[in-house]
Amino acid sequence: MGGRRKGKPSASTKKFEEKMNDNGDTNIDHDTDGTNIIEEKMNHNGDPNIDHDTNGTNTFEDFDNRPLKKTKCSESSVMDDPLPTPTISGSSMISECSESSVPESENKINGEPLPTAQTTAKLTDSPVSELLNEKPVSTVDEKQQDGPRPIINNVTYDYLAQDYTITLQDECAHYVIEDALEEELLVKIEDVYVKQRYLVCLLDKDKWLDDEVISAYICCMRDQVHVQNDATVYFENPFVTRLLKRDGEIGIHGPTSLTNIVKNYLNHDLIHLPINIKDSHWYLACINVEKSEIQVLDSLCWEHNRDDLANTLKGLQYHLDILKSQENANNQNWRDLDVTTWPITEKLQKPIQKDSSSCGLFLLKFMEYWTGHTLSHMITQEIITSFRSKLAAILLCWKTNTAPPTATFEEIDESEGHPDDVIMSDSPFDQNQSKVSNSSSSENKYQSLVSVLSNLSLHELVGGLCNYIKSINSAQTLEKIWIKSSDPYPISLTLKNLQEMLNVELPMNRDCFNLVVRKIMFDNIQTEKKRRGLISKHYLDMRFWRITDFARHPEYRKKLDVEQLAFSIRSWPGIKYSISSCRWIHIPIQSGHDFILIILDKDTRTVYILDPTPIEIMYQRNPLAKYVHRILWIAEHLPKAMSKTCPGSTWNENIFLWQQKIIHDISGHRRELSGYLIAFFMSTWEDEKVHSPFLEDGYELRKQTLGQLLTFKENECEDNMPSGVLDFINCIRKTKTNMNVKT
């Protein structure tokens, strides 16, 4: 279910009805409460100016490679040449849901199965790249694009997305909506106004959709169909549908402005009418001219007499009867103008809606996908649930959204109507005044993504960034190098490497681990510089262990390169210090997927063993036996390297003779997580103590580690990252700096 707010008709609705007169002049002003506003400016042909090409250019050719749907009524064009879903770098929710287990009987229309979602192998610039300012190839002259100003960091949607994966910029749009005041006007598309309190319902799965949200997306559908030069389908506004229903209930005595709107129906083959049942449920009524049939698509398949539809058709018939009496009103497409005699057919056999709040979303998808014969795309509850969150971002970032950054409204006295109603001005909206208001608010928080992100917590920032990285599946994008550090030796990480860090089934990549160690050491160096202290901990990365060739069979080991081994333990750049003066040396080792940390304490001559992996049964009685060979191997090779780096120091001793101590209460974790835990232990080790992170499934630790890499200041490839990602990274750095200052 899902409908408009309950209560009396709004004052704006009453005022509109009063203004409907016999001269055919309609001037519906702004219902700034968010009620759908239609300012129909009739041209000399009597056609309402509904569809707009906001770019002012012919972009039809440029849409050949865009993910746009052609809403045709030809059955062959739907079934023989199925509509492609857009190529999007996020994983397709439609594809996932089409493979989900939905009962076959529920996926049939007229006894025929619903079509499955189509996929395409064609590589185009994905919406992810567009949202993050990666420049696509376009044939549209940029100088001609004098459109509205985007709300979020130059981000706009100019197509109806079919992949509902939430991108990084979508999450930013959600933050904007949640952060806005209830009375703020966030969306103005054509003459539809949506305030925050109506748009925010899209972020709550239990909320109903109001007329405002439905009307705004209908404007987006009109805009897309207009760009495609598709004149077969007419998407009606729910506000006009309500007026038709009113006329059917009370009757009319002559032509009105609605008559001119209905006249425009005669130029189309399909008219989609959104019907609302007593503020409780939405469904679609499609007037199919070709079949002379009223087609009903109801996600709940309610069984009732459809009084709302009957009254709407009755009101429509009044206006058609007036048109029949006028000259030149006959249309070859409409062979029969007596719509009240057309059969009403239910196109869905079984309900496909599983909740009580998403009928408005189903309505929109029915309008978008119904061809007059079938649905061009599969629609399931899972798809609709994903569409809900995506819709919020689409509306906020739609290319023709001209909502000013701030707006104030004059509320009417509660005694005169619903407390949410507003006073409507008799004068048309002053476009010039709006432009002045926009230009004077250039510093508004919505004009900068950074200003939105600055109000988020560190956890939210890292989580949003990780969610975006997980959503990318473009092979070309994943091969881009996002992180690179050349000192003391080159390490490069692709976006794919970073994405794999979020896969709980994969162990930590060795290059990722080495770069985390590098960042830990560089951060330690910067801290000691500020304190003017001495470096007491020396960190080795995995190169030392790899060069020793421990894992290889003795017969196949390479000859040891002592110079290279010595290079792997030398002091880090950025500060002058001697390893011989350090108290601790951290030596990570790896066997298969298992990461283990050996910490050497020179002052107490102790070898600490930190192993987060489960203890095998064979070692439970004598745990040290598991590490004997590894400690012996370190004792053999470390002096060889130290003899070159700091000869004569304590580090040249045989560490196998030192006291050996296993740190308990850190084992039992999954082996795939051990690399992340070892990196965490290295960064938190202090005074023979280790801090164990609070872990539920280890995913949070993976996100924290990825956040560390993304904020690595010595990254030489930040220019490869989209600007939106850099905004996130800068806010994470700033938040961490502020946290350090406070502590």
Side-chain angles (χ1 to χ4, degrees):
M1 297 183 186
R4 189 175 172 77
R5 57 186 173 277
K6 295 181 170 55
K8 299 179 181 179
S10 67
S12 56
T13 303
K14 294 177 182 177
K15 204 140 189 175
F16 178 87
E17 295 171 354
E18 292 171 1
K19 293 167 74 76
M20 300 296 292
N21 50 44
D22 294 338
N23 60 11
D25 182 23
T26 308
N27 183 11
I28 306 176
D29 299 306
H30 315 132
D31 182 352
T32 46
D33 174 49
T35 304
N36 302 294
I37 311 303
I38 306 172
E39 187 179 350
E40 302 292 358
K41 299 180 179 179
M42 302 299 179
N43 56 30
H44 64 280
N45 293 324
D47 293 330
N49 184 15
I50 293 178
D51 295 334
H52 307 285
D53 187 351
T54 55
N55 289 333
T57 58
N58 183 5
T59 57
F60 182 77
E61 297 83 5
D62 191 38
F63 278 80
D64 288 342
N65 292 325
R66 285 175 178 261
L68 297 177
K69 184 182 79 65
K70 300 280 282 183
T71 315
K72 294 290 185 182
C73 294
S74 170
E75 185 171 9
S76 60
S77 66
V78 174
M79 302 309 295
D80 298 337
D81 186 17
L83 298 169
T85 55
T87 304
I88 298 181
S89 51
S91 58
S92 172
M93 288 299 298
I94 294 178
S95 298
E96 292 175 10
C97 293
S98 66
E99 298 173 1
S100 62
S101 56
V102 180
E104 183 179 356
S105 60
E106 297 184 15
N107 290 331
K108 290 185 178 181
I109 295 180
N110 298 334
E112 298 179 3
L114 290 175
T116 57
Q118 304 295 321
T119 58
T120 177
K122 184 175 181 180
L123 291 178
T124 62
D125 292 291
S126 70
V128 172
S129 64
E130 291 181 23
L131 286 177
L132 296 174
N133 297 336
E134 295 179 2
K135 298 180 180 179
V137 178
S138 176
T139 61
V140 181
D141 186 359
E142 294 180 0
K143 295 181 180 180
Q144 298 181 29
Q145 294 184 352
D146 232 357
R149 184 175 48 185
I151 289 181
I152 299 181
N153 204 33
N154 299 321
V155 174
T156 58
Y157 273 99
D158 57 0
Y159 61 94
L160 298 182
Q162 306 301 313
D163 184 330
Y164 307 133
T165 303
I166 298 301
T167 67
L168 180 64
Q169 298 292 2
D170 292 339
E171 294 201 7
C172 295
H174 293 173
Y175 294 140
V176 169
I177 296 170
E178 291 175 338
D179 192 52
L181 300 176
E182 283 191 357
E183 299 305 312
E184 285 192 71
L185 180 64
L186 296 184
V187 175
K188 177 184 179 295
I189 304 175
E190 296 181 17
D191 291 304
V192 176
Y193 295 73
V194 186
K195 292 160 68 173
Q196 187 271 356
R197 54 175 163 164
Y198 301 119
L199 194 60
V200 77
C201 71
L202 293 171
L203 305 183
D204 186 339
K205 63 182 179 63
D206 296 322
K207 296 291 185 180
W208 295 353
L209 263 66
D210 224 306
D211 291 22
E212 292 74 21
V213 173
I214 290 174
S215 296
Y217 192 71
I218 289 174
C219 288
C220 298
M221 287 191 283
R222 286 175 178 170
D223 185 39
Q224 179 165 294
V225 168
H226 179 69
V227 170
Q228 293 176 291
N229 293 331
D230 188 346
T232 63
V233 182
Y234 191 97
F235 300 96
E236 190 51 273
N237 188 293
F239 188 65
V240 173
T241 306
R242 289 177 185 272
L243 294 178
L244 289 173
K245 176 185 173 184
R246 178 210 61 181
D247 288 351
E249 292 172 341
I250 65 176
I252 60 174
H253 304 287
T256 68
S257 295
L258 275 182
T259 307
N260 289 323
I261 295 177
V262 171
K263 183 178 181 180
N264 200 40
Y265 294 175
L266 302 179
N267 299 322
H268 298 79
D269 299 326
L270 289 179
I271 295 88
H272 288 323
L273 301 177
I275 305 294
N276 184 264
I277 303 176
K278 298 179 181 179
D279 300 323
S280 61
H281 182 57
W282 289 102
Y283 66 90
L284 174 65
C286 174
I287 300 176
N288 190 321
V289 177
E290 178 187 356
K291 295 186 175 183
S292 296
E293 179 182 63
I294 309 299
Q295 301 170 326
V296 173
L297 286 89
D298 185 341
S299 56
L300 288 177
C301 296
W302 274 12
E303 296 181 1
H304 43 68
N305 54 12
R306 305 256 180 227
D307 289 339
D308 298 89
L309 175 58
N311 288 327
T312 302
L313 294 176
K314 186 177 179 181
L316 174 60
Q317 189 64 60
Y318 284 146
H319 295 282
L320 289 175
D321 290 341
I322 293 173
L323 291 172
K324 282 193 294 184
S325 65
Q326 297 177 352
E327 296 181 1
N328 301 322
N330 293 328
N331 186 288
Q332 60 180 356
N333 291 336
W334 286 62
R335 297 183 299 272
D336 181 6
L337 293 181
D338 296 323
V339 295
T340 54
T341 64
W342 293 7
I344 298 176
T345 59
E346 302 282 341
K347 308 308 292 185
L348 296 179
Q349 281 76 49
K350 290 189 177 181
I352 58 176
Q353 180 181 335
K354 307 300 182 183
D355 61 16
S356 60
S357 59
S358 59
C359 60
L361 296 163
F362 277 98
L363 164 73
L364 292 175
K365 283 298 149 185
F366 290 153
M367 296 181 74
E368 187 175 353
Y369 293 156
W370 183 247
T371 68
H373 301 274
T374 187
L375 289 169
S376 60
H377 290 64
M378 172 177 283
I379 302 176
T380 65
Q381 181 66 61
E382 292 77 8
I383 292 175
I384 290 298
T385 301
S386 301
F387 171 59
R388 173 186 283 271
S389 298
K390 191 74 172 183
L391 178 57
I394 291 174
L395 295 181
L396 187 70
C397 301
W398 188 250
K399 61 180 179 179
T400 59
N401 179 12
T402 58
T406 57
T408 57
F409 307 104
E410 182 182 0
E411 300 290 340
I412 67 170
D413 187 86
E414 184 173 347
S415 61
E416 298 182 14
H418 194 277
D420 291 336
D421 292 339
V422 297
I423 292 178
M424 294 179 58
S425 170
D426 288 334
S427 60
F429 183 62
D430 190 343
Q431 298 285 350
N432 294 328
Q433 183 178 359
S434 175
K435 292 179 180 178
V436 172
S437 175
N438 285 350
S439 61
S440 65
S441 305
S442 59
E443 298 301 322
N444 188 275
K445 63 184 177 180
Y446 300 135
Q447 300 307 307
S448 171
L449 174 62
V450 178
S451 64
V452 177
L453 301 179
S454 62
N455 294 321
L456 304 181
S457 66
L458 181 61
H459 179 78
E460 290 172 327
L461 288 167
V462 174
L465 194 52
C466 290
N467 288 341
Y468 164 68
I469 290 175
K470 283 180 64 178
S471 71
I472 301 174
N473 64 1
S474 168
Q476 184 177 4
T477 303
L478 290 172
E479 292 305 317
K480 285 187 177 181
I481 295 176
W482 270 29
I483 302 177
K484 181 180 179 181
S485 173
S486 300
D487 196 10
Y489 66 92
I491 299 179
S492 297
L493 299 179
T494 65
L495 177 57
K496 183 178 181 180
N497 296 142
L498 303 179
Q499 191 183 72
E500 289 174 346
M501 293 179 67
L502 299 174
N503 187 336
V504 296
E505 301 298 328
L506 296 179
M508 194 172 191
N509 175 279
R510 183 183 296 152
D511 285 337
C512 293
F513 179 87
N514 288 343
L515 196 56
V516 171
V517 173
R518 183 175 298 184
K519 184 180 187 303
I520 292 172
M521 189 65 206
F522 283 0
D523 289 347
N524 189 32
I525 288 173
Q526 295 303 317
T527 300
E528 296 304 330
K529 276 185 175 181
K530 293 178 181 178
R531 297 176 179 175
R532 296 185 179 181
L534 298 176
I535 300 296
S536 60
K537 302 174 189 174
H538 182 64
Y539 300 92
L540 305 186
D541 60 19
M542 205 59 70
R543 282 185 313 144
F544 171 80
W545 188 250
R546 183 177 57 83
I547 292 172
T548 64
D549 224 4
F550 173 82
R552 197 183 299 269
H553 190 278
E555 294 183 3
Y556 301 102
R557 285 182 185 140
K558 299 177 181 179
K559 183 179 179 181
L560 182 65
D561 187 334
V562 178
E563 293 295 333
Q564 190 178 17
L565 188 67
F567 181 83
S568 69
I569 68 167
R570 72 173 188 170
S571 58
W572 292 84
I575 192 173
K576 290 184 179 180
Y577 70 98
S578 173
I579 298 176
S580 60
S581 63
C582 294
R583 176 179 175 179
W584 290 286
I585 292 182
H586 293 233
I587 305 176
I589 61 180
Q590 182 182 10
S591 297
H593 293 173
D594 295 358
F595 286 73
I596 301 172
L597 178 62
I598 303 296
I599 299 179
L600 307 180
D601 186 342
K602 182 184 67 174
D603 290 358
T604 62
R605 285 177 167 75
T606 303
V607 177
Y608 293 97
I609 303 165
L610 290 82
D611 183 2
T613 62
I615 300 296
E616 293 87 341
I617 297 178
M618 67 180 73
Y619 297 122
Q620 287 183 351
R621 292 182 177 274
N622 184 14
L624 278 174
K626 178 179 178 180
Y627 313 105
V628 168
H629 293 293
R630 294 172 175 80
I631 297 174
L632 279 170
W633 197 251
I634 294 174
E636 177 183 346
H637 289 83
L638 185 62
K640 294 178 181 179
M642 289 297 179
S643 64
K644 298 284 185 179
T645 304
C646 48
S649 69
T650 306
W651 299 120
N652 288 273
E653 294 181 5
N654 184 356
I655 60 118
F656 188 72
L657 301 178
W658 291 7
Q659 177 186 1
Q660 299 169 9
K661 185 176 180 180
I662 297 176
I663 302 298
H664 298 286
D665 300 326
I666 62 170
S667 62
H669 298 284
R670 292 184 59 180
R671 300 183 186 278
E672 291 79 10
L673 192 62
S674 60
Y676 299 91
L677 288 166
I678 292 303
F680 181 84
F681 295 156
M682 293 176 74
S683 64
T684 59
W685 175 265
E686 195 70 43
D687 295 331
E688 304 181 10
K689 295 180 181 178
V690 66
H691 301 278
S692 295
F694 175 76
L695 298 174
E696 292 182 355
D697 57 4
Y699 184 67
E700 286 299 319
L701 182 59
R702 288 174 178 265
K703 291 198 301 184
Q704 293 175 22
T705 307
L706 179 55
Q708 285 185 315
L709 290 180
L710 291 169
T711 55
F712 186 47
K713 292 183 179 179
E714 285 72 22
N715 182 11
E716 302 164 11
C717 283
E718 280 195 352
D719 290 342
N720 288 352
M721 298 181 180
S723 60
V725 171
L726 292 177
D727 287 336
F728 262 78
I729 290 173
N730 290 331
C731 284
I732 292 173
R733 288 172 177 163
K734 184 177 180 180
T735 302
K736 286 184 175 180
T737 300
N738 293 338
M739 292 172 62
N740 292 334
V741 169
K742 291 179 181 180
T743 55

